[in-house]
């Protein structure tokens, strides 16, 4: 809320302060997408295992023994190996855009990965990750017991991609005065998304930015904001008139 | 709508993140949400179900009424999101309106089984859209979101089952003795649930709903908010308003005029409501299937009915529905003697598990195992030694590969160096050329022949760009001193002839040919002589 309100607004961001004084924003992943990632992994494992059954079941008792070994390894080492060697993501997590990091944002190492994955046995209790699901609901970071023990986070790999500019308006106008960073961001956001809003809504929004558009009618206000946004984005050429103004 | 009052951070989110935010909403407003849940929803449901616990239809009815619960929960979440979680009294007062004006009839009939229930609920309840307007709105909002709403539904449905079975197992593990099993599976003669069993299942189901349903509603609401924020630029609106306030201290024109406005308070509350999962009879069967055979046997022992009823019960239990033959596969020793088998039978209690027959078999078995481990160990060791050997001597293999890699040059300073381009007897041919007056051709032939011999016989490595002097340098060390002298002399004469045009005498050519034959001839005979 406002500065007066001590409770921050609800969000799913986990902030990490690096030793260099940078603040990283990690976007925590919750239960639904993690369940989906698990499902994809499960599918892959089943696929691989049934392929092996198909091949090894013809090789008699040796094949049987190998199958048991394989089942064991798939259950216990599949996530560990992938998380350590494939940038902290099993195939399912990769397809879901997830990555496992340690609490301070550094990559997983063997000990953390082994801890979080071997504790699946506990998270699985009493039936199908019931304990893990409940634990995920109880802490802000959505950690299951294995994550709590290993000190790891499951986060989204990429930032939300900005929408593509969908029009070819390339005129730009110089900002009439200096904007704060937050204001610049809002302006850029408006410029990128304006083509997606309904015409009325785009005009209505534009008129809210009174200091920038003065008394312009909605459509003109929208256009002016788009041009200012172009300027911030480095898009297009400045008109002579606005150069004088700047 | 006062967006600046919204207690949710407005930013561009993926729909997945919006679903995650639902969990955060449940956690932050756990108190206002769960007090409503317990008082208005759980309590009535519990009372009704306990009163009619044996009647499966009552269960189904309660489950069918779950949209009513969703409306109450959504009211709490919606108002809490704007900074004013409703008190119990407020919820109570809003009940009639919520029931009447939230499209409840459609939700309880043809929309009851919709996958997007919690996602479309805000359109009905908060926006107040009905009929065609509702469908249109649902299409617009659902265009990029329905898949995620479906995932939410699927996961939540599974979570309910997981929690139910989980709690059931937990209860089994944590109750001492067979008390729970006996109580749960002591079916009456007609196979109906007993009172204890039905109450137990009611509690399991309602506990699971308590964990899942608030999240389901919150996540659907969050998904709805995210989509609208995306479509209408709520985050931009808030940022622009803030700029307005800060730059023009006058007129804090904050009055919201966002698109559709949240119609406050519209929910209801029924004295009972919810539902979950197709449960009831299906669930009972489920639990029975899950019970391992030992428990079935114990259940048999529990039937303590007397007389005719007892006889009937036992005959039913003995029938094919209850008694069954199981095929079990297990490991055992192959060549077990009859004596061993007898010994094993005497040892009846361990029979199922142990593999050992007599001590002798055990001893040999142990020995075989030891030898086998030893062999495997040796194989591993041998493999390791091989790997280490190849790794240490990798330079060797690389060097050998190298000469092949840099193919011998086909030409040097424009001279054709392919062996098959040369005549068999080079000195004779060269002499003949010289006598015919082709001095340069003769020298060239000798020179090329010498180079080819050096490459083929002495393994001298030339590169495609080498000059004559560089060739001399490369040859040094590969051949004996006399041969080197001859090669140097040949080179000198060749350079003089080729570049300076000063021709050697015929005698000189003859001497060169003789020397050439002595040192560079590659015919088998010459090779043996050299050796």
């Amino acid at each position: 809320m406002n500065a007066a309100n001590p409770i921050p607004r609800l969000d799913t961001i986990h902030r990490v302060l690096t030793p260099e004084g940078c603040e990283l924003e990690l976007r925590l992943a919750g239960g639904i997408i993690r369940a989906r990632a698990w499902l994809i992994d499960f599918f892959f494992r089943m696929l691989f295992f049934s392929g092996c059954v198909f091949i090894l079941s013809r090789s008699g008792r040796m094949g049987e023994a190998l199958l048991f070994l394989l089942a064991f390894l798939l259950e216990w080492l599949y996530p560990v190996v992938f998380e350590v060697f494939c940038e902290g993501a099993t195939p399912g997590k990769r397809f879901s855009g997830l990555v496992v990091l340690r609490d301070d944002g550094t990559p997983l190492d063997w000990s953390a990965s082994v801890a979080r994955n071997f504790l699946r046995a506990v998270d699985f209790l009493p039936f199908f990750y019931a304990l893990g699901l409940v634990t995920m609901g109880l802490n802000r970071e959505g950690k299951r017991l294995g994550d709590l023990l290993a000190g790891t986070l499951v986060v989204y790999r990429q930032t939300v991609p900005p929408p593509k500019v969908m029009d070819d308006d390339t005129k730009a106008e110089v900002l009439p005065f200096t904007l704060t960073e937050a204001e610049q961001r809002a302006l850029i956001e408006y410029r990128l998304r304006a083509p997606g809003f309904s015409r009325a809504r785009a005009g209505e929004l534009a008129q809210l930015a009174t200091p920038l558009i003065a008394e312009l009618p909605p459509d003109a206000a929208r256009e002016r904001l788009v041009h200012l946004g172009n300027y911030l984005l480095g898009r297009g050429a400045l008109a002579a008139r606005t150069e004088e103004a700047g | 709508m006062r967006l600046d009052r919204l207690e949710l951070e407005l930013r561009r989110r993926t729909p997945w993140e919006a679903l995650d935010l639902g969990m955060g909403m449940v956690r932050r407003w756990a108190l206002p949400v769960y007090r409503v849940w317990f008082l208005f929803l759980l309590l009535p449901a519990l009372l009704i179900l306990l009163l009619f616990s044996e009647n499966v239809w009552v269960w189904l009815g309660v489950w069918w009424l779950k949209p009513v619960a969703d409306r109450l929960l959504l009211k709490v979440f919606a108002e809490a999101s704007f900074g004013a979680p409703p008190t119990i009294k407020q919820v109570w007062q809003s009940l009639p309106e919520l029931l009447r004006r939230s499209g409840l009839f459609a939700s309880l009939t043809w929309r009851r089984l919709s996958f997007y229930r919690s996602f479309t609920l805000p359109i009905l309840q908060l926006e107040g859209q009905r009929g065609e307007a509702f469908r249109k709105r649902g299409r617009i909002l659902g265009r990029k979101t329905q898949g995620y709403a479906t995932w939410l539904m699927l996961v939540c449905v599974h979570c309910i089952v997981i929690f139910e079975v989980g709690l059931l197992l937990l209860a089994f593990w944590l109750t001492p003795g067979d008390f729970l099993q006996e109580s749960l599976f002591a079916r009456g003669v007609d196979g109906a649930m007993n009172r204890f069993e039905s109450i137990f299942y009611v509690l399991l189901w309602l506990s699971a709903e308590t964990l899942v349903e608030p999240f389901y509603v919150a996540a659907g609401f969050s998904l709805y908010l995210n989509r609208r924020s995306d479509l209408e630029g709520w985050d931009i609106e808030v940022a622009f308003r803030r700029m307005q306030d800060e730059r023009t201290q006058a007129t804090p024109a904050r009055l919201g005029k966002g698109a559709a406005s949240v119609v406050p308070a519209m929910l209801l509350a029924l004295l009972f409501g919810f539902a979950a999962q197709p449960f009831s009879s299906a669930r009972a069967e489920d639990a029975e299937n899950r019970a391992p055979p030992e428990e079935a046997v114990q259940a048999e022992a529990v039937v303590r009915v007397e007389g005719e009823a007892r006889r009937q019960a036992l005959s039913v239990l003995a029938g094919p529905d209850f008694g069954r033959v199981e095929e079990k596969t297990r490991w055992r020793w192959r060549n077990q003697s009859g004596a061993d088998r007898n010994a094993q039978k005497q040892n009846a209690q361990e029979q199922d598990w142990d593999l050992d027959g007599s001590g002798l078999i055990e001893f040999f078995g142990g020995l075989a195992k030891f030898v086998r481990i030893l062999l495997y160990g040796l194989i591993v060791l041998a493999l390791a030694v091989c790997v280490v050997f190849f790794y240490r001597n990798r330079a060797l293999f690389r060097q050998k590969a190298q000469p092949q890699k840099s193919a011998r040059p086909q030409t040097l300073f424009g001279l054709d160096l392919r062996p098959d381009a040369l005549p068999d007897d080079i000195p004779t041919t060269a002499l003949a050329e010289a006598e015919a007056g082709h001095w340069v051709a003769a020298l060239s032939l000798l020179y090329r022949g010498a180079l080819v011999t050096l490459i083929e016989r002495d393994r001298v490595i030339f590169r495609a760009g080498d000059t004559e002097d560089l060739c001399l340098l490369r040859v040094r060390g590969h051949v004996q001193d006399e041969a080197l002298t001859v090669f140097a002399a040949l080179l000198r004469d060749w350079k003089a002839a080729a570049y300076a045009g000063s021709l050697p005498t015929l005698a000189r050519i003859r001497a060169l040919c003789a020397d050439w034959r002595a040192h560079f001839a590659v015919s088998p005979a010459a090779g043996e002589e050299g050796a």
Side-chain angles (χ1 to χ4, degrees), chain B residues 168-169 172 178-189 191-198 200-201 283-304 317 322:
Chain B
L168 181 74
L169 287 176
F172 270 121
D178 292 335
F179 163 73
L180 200 59
Q181 289 164 19
E182 290 176 8
S183 317
L184 280 184
F185 300 112
R187 286 287 170 85
V189 185
M193 279 192 287
N194 66 35
R195 184 142 188 82
F196 179 88
E197 187 181 8
S198 56
F200 186 71
Y201 289 144
R283 158 155 333 129
E285 282 165 23
D286 211 37
E288 192 161 75
N289 290 339
R290 220 170 287 287
E294 287 87 353
E295 285 167 359
V297 175
Q298 281 163 2
E300 184 179 4
V302 167
V303 180
R304 293 204 187 89
L317 284 175
F322 286 88

Side-chain angles (χ1 to χ4, degrees), chain A residues 8-11 27 30 126-128 137 140 156 161-162 178 183 186 189 193 197 201 204-205 208 210, chain B residues 4 6-7 9 11-13 16-17 20 27-28 162 166 229-232 235 237 239 244 247 257:
Chain A
R9 285 176 167 161
L10 199 56
D11 205 348
R27 296 152 60 236
F127 178 68
F128 220 88
R140 199 192 156 273
Y156 292 95
T178 320
E183 289 164 348
E189 194 76 3
R193 280 159 63 186
F197 299 144
R201 177 63 181 162
E204 184 183 45
L205 269 182
L208 288 174
T210 332
Chain B
D4 55 333
L6 195 59
E7 297 236 8
E9 182 67 39
R11 61 180 172 91
R12 244 184 309 116
R13 284 192 179 84
W16 295 119
E17 283 188 280
D20 301 342
R27 275 214 335 281
R28 174 169 289 192
I162 287 171
S229 167
D230 211 30
L231 276 179
E232 294 165 17
D235 47 339
E237 175 172 341
Q244 201 178 20
R247 303 258 171 202
K257 46 175 178 177

Side-chain angles (χ1 to χ4, degrees), chain B residues 1 74 78 98 101-103 119-142 221 223-229 231-232 234 258-267:
Chain B
M1 193 164 43
L74 179 61
L98 268 179
R101 303 243 296 260
S102 59
F119 173 65
T120 48
L121 182 60
I123 306 177
L124 283 173
Q125 183 178 332
L126 303 179
E127 292 184 18
Q129 312 272 16
R130 293 289 181 279
E132 185 52 38
F134 166 79
R135 271 190 293 280
K136 211 172 142 198
R137 188 87 178 124
R139 267 200 302 278
I140 292 175
L141 292 183
F221 179 51
L223 200 59
Y224 163 84
L225 285 183
N226 187 54
R227 180 73 177 129
R228 279 198 60 185
S229 167
L231 276 179
E232 294 165 17
W234 285 6
S261 64
V262 172
V263 180
M266 219 181 233
L267 290 228

Side-chain angles (χ1 to χ4, degrees), chain B residues 134-378:
Chain B
F134 166 79
R135 271 190 293 280
K136 211 172 142 198
R137 188 87 178 124
R139 267 200 302 278
I140 292 175
L141 292 183
R143 195 168 292 154
K144 286 182 181 164
T145 326
Q146 271 176 352
Y148 303 94
T150 311
W151 270 104
L152 174 66
M153 182 64 156
L154 286 178
V155 172
C156 285
V157 164
H158 283 90
C159 277
I160 287 179
V161 178
I162 287 171
F163 288 139
E164 279 172 354
V165 178
L167 286 171
L168 181 74
L169 287 176
L170 212 58
F172 270 121
W173 295 341
L174 296 184
T175 44
D178 292 335
F179 163 73
L180 200 59
Q181 289 164 19
E182 290 176 8
S183 317
L184 280 184
F185 300 112
R187 286 287 170 85
V189 185
D190 54 352
M193 279 192 287
N194 66 35
R195 184 142 188 82
F196 179 88
E197 187 181 8
S198 56
I199 291 177
F200 186 71
Y201 289 144
V202 163
L203 289 178
L204 281 189
W205 170 46
L206 291 184
S207 312
E209 286 290 354
T210 303
L211 290 175
V212 175
E213 190 66 15
F215 167 71
Y216 176 64
V217 174
F221 179 51
S222 166
L223 200 59
Y224 163 84
L225 285 183
N226 187 54
R227 180 73 177 129
R228 279 198 60 185
S229 167
D230 211 30
L231 276 179
E232 294 165 17
W234 285 6
D235 47 339
I236 300 173
E237 175 172 341
V238 169
F240 280 178
R241 280 186 196 284
R242 197 170 293 143
M243 169 162 66
Q244 201 178 20
D245 289 355
E246 280 164 14
R247 303 258 171 202
T248 62
Q249 266 85 13
T251 63
R254 269 195 181 172
L255 261 182
K257 46 175 178 177
S261 64
V262 172
V263 180
M266 219 181 233
L267 290 228
L268 73 83
L270 250 225
L271 281 189
F272 35 85
F274 20 128
Q277 259 318 97
F279 67 99
S280 64
S281 60
R283 158 155 333 129
E285 282 165 23
D286 211 37
E288 192 161 75
N289 290 339
R290 220 170 287 287
E294 287 87 353
E295 285 167 359
V297 175
Q298 281 163 2
E300 184 179 4
V302 167
V303 180
R304 293 204 187 89
V305 197
E306 299 302 319
E308 174 65 6
R310 175 183 169 77
R311 203 186 54 72
Q312 277 186 2
L314 287 179
S315 73
V316 168
L317 284 175
D321 290 344
F322 286 88
R324 54 185 165 142
V325 179
E326 277 194 4
E327 204 169 314
K328 276 190 181 173
T329 315
R330 63 184 175 85
W331 299 92
R332 61 185 305 166
W333 296 104
R334 233 165 36 178
N335 302 321
Q336 215 171 15
S337 69
D340 292 331
R341 257 180 223 153
N342 287 341
Q344 211 178 15
K345 265 181 195 163
Q346 285 168 3
N347 203 359
Q349 284 182 334
E350 298 169 9
Q351 200 174 7
D352 263 359
W353 293 103
D354 57 6
L355 295 166
D356 61 332
S358 68
L360 200 63
I361 285 185
E362 196 174 10
F363 170 70
F364 280 119
L367 194 65
K369 201 184 272 180
F370 174 69
V371 170
R372 194 186 305 161
I373 291 174
L374 207 64
L375 277 176
Y376 285 150
L378 279 178

